[in-house]
Amino acid sequence: EVQLVESGGGLVQPGRSLRLSCAASGFTFDDYAMHWVRQAPGKGLEWVSGISWNSGSIGYADSVKGRFTISRDNAKNSLYLQMNSLRAEDTALYYCAKDLGYGGNEVWEYFDYWGQGTLVTVSS
Amino acid sequence: EIVLTQSPGTLSLSPGERATLSCRASQSVSSSYLAWYQQKPGQAPRLLIYGASSRATGIPDRFSGSGSGTDFTLTISRLEPEDFAVYYCQQYGSSPGFGGGTKVEIK
C-alpha cells in the first residue's frame, strides 16, 4: 500500500524558514517523480514544486521560485521542501504527491497518490 | 503558462441527477494531459480521470471524462450521495496547474 506522510509544518513568523518532509513507502521511491502541492484555507489547489526521480529535473511555481527548494533522498525514501523567506500568503496545507512517471526533462505526469498534508501557518 | 477555468463554480443537484462539469484551458493542452480529481472535506484529493478520458483504478463507471484541445468535461451520470464534493481539473506535462474547482452540492 502506497503511503505518503508529511511532517514539519507549524506556526512560523514572516521571513523565517521551515523544512517540510514527506516519508514514502509502499512503492519503489527512486522510480518516480514527486511533487508538493498546497491548499490555502478554503481555497483551491496550487502546484508548488516537482522533482524527477534522480533530482535531474526540478520545477517551481513562480510564486515560490527563489524562496523554496525541493530535494529528495532516495536512500531514505524521503522528499523535502525547504521554505525560506516565508510570507503570510504561504499559509496552507502542504501535500506531498507521487507522480505516475519519472519526470525526465521536466515532463510531469498526473498525481496518483497524495499524503494527508501538513499545515503551515505564517503569522506574527 | 496554461490557465484552467472551471465552470460552474457551484452545481446544486439531487442524488440520481446527471452532473456536467467544464474545464477550459487558455491554450491547447498537449496530448490530452488533463486529469480530474475529487476532494471531500478534510481529505486529500483523489485521482478520478487521467489522459482526459481514462478512469483511474477503482473509479466507478458513472464517472467519465471527455474533450481535447482547450475544452474538457467531467460527467457524473447519476449522482450518488458520496459524489458530493469539490472537483478539480489539472493539466500536466510541463508546468502543472489546477483549475479553481467546481463544488457539487446537494440541492
Side-chain angles (χ1 to χ4, degrees):
Chain A
E1 179 193 5
V2 172
Q3 287 199 347
L4 299 170
V5 180
E6 302 92 338
S7 61
L11 175 62
V12 62
Q13 293 179 327
R16 304 296 292 264
S17 299
L18 205 59
R19 189 195 196 205
L20 306 183
S21 299
C22 171
S25 61
F27 64 102
T28 305
F29 183 72
D30 53 12
D31 276 352
Y32 297 96
M34 298 292 296
H35 301 266
W36 289 100
V37 177
R38 69 184 180 183
Q39 186 168 35
K43 302 296 184 183
L45 301 171
E46 179 188 16
W47 176 76
V48 173
S49 183
I51 185 168
S52 65
W53 67 283
N54 64 350
S55 305
S57 291
I58 287 176
Y60 296 99
D62 288 343
S63 58
V64 306
K65 201 171 292 184
R67 299 188 299 124
F68 289 10
T69 301
I70 191 171
S71 62
R72 64 190 294 161
D73 185 336
N74 287 344
K76 295 183 177 180
N77 287 352
S78 292
L79 175 72
Y80 306 102
L81 186 68
Q82 178 67 42
M83 304 186 295
N84 298 333
S85 303
L86 282 162
R87 306 167 180 168
E89 54 265 36
D90 295 319
T91 293
L93 186 63
Y94 284 73
Y95 292 104
C96 164
K98 173 187 169 292
D99 194 296
L100 176 77
Y102 65 95
N105 297 317
E106 218 176 311
V107 175
W108 314 112
E109 293 282 350
Y110 52 89
F111 307 163
D112 54 357
Y113 292 94
W114 299 62
Q116 288 303 306
T118 186
L119 182 62
V120 173
T121 304
V122 183
S123 174
S124 55
Chain B
E1 177 190 350
I2 298 177
V3 176
L4 299 177
T5 302
Q6 291 188 241
S7 62
T10 302
L11 202 49
S12 298
L13 294 168
S14 301
E17 289 195 292
R18 182 184 187 90
T20 303
L21 287 66
S22 173
C23 177
R24 180 161 291 177
S26 59
Q27 54 187 283
S28 185
V29 176
S30 61
S31 303
S32 293
Y33 280 2
L34 195 287
W36 290 91
Y37 300 85
Q38 176 194 66
Q39 187 179 34
K40 297 179 181 179
Q43 296 185 17
R46 177 175 72 143
L47 176 69
L48 296 177
I49 301 285
Y50 62 92
S53 60
S54 298
R55 271 188 303 277
T57 303
I59 301 304
D61 60 7
R62 64 179 181 274
F63 291 92
S64 63
S66 63
S68 64
T70 60
D71 288 296
F72 298 88
T73 300
L74 175 70
T75 301
I76 310 171
S77 59
R78 292 175 310 279
L79 282 164
E80 296 288 340
E82 62 267 28
D83 299 336
F84 291 92
V86 180
Y87 293 84
Y88 294 95
C89 59
Q90 179 212 21
Q91 62 85 17
Y92 46 99
S94 55
S95 185
F98 293 90
T102 291
K103 181 179 182 180
V104 179
E105 65 176 22
I106 299 176
K107 187 175 182 180

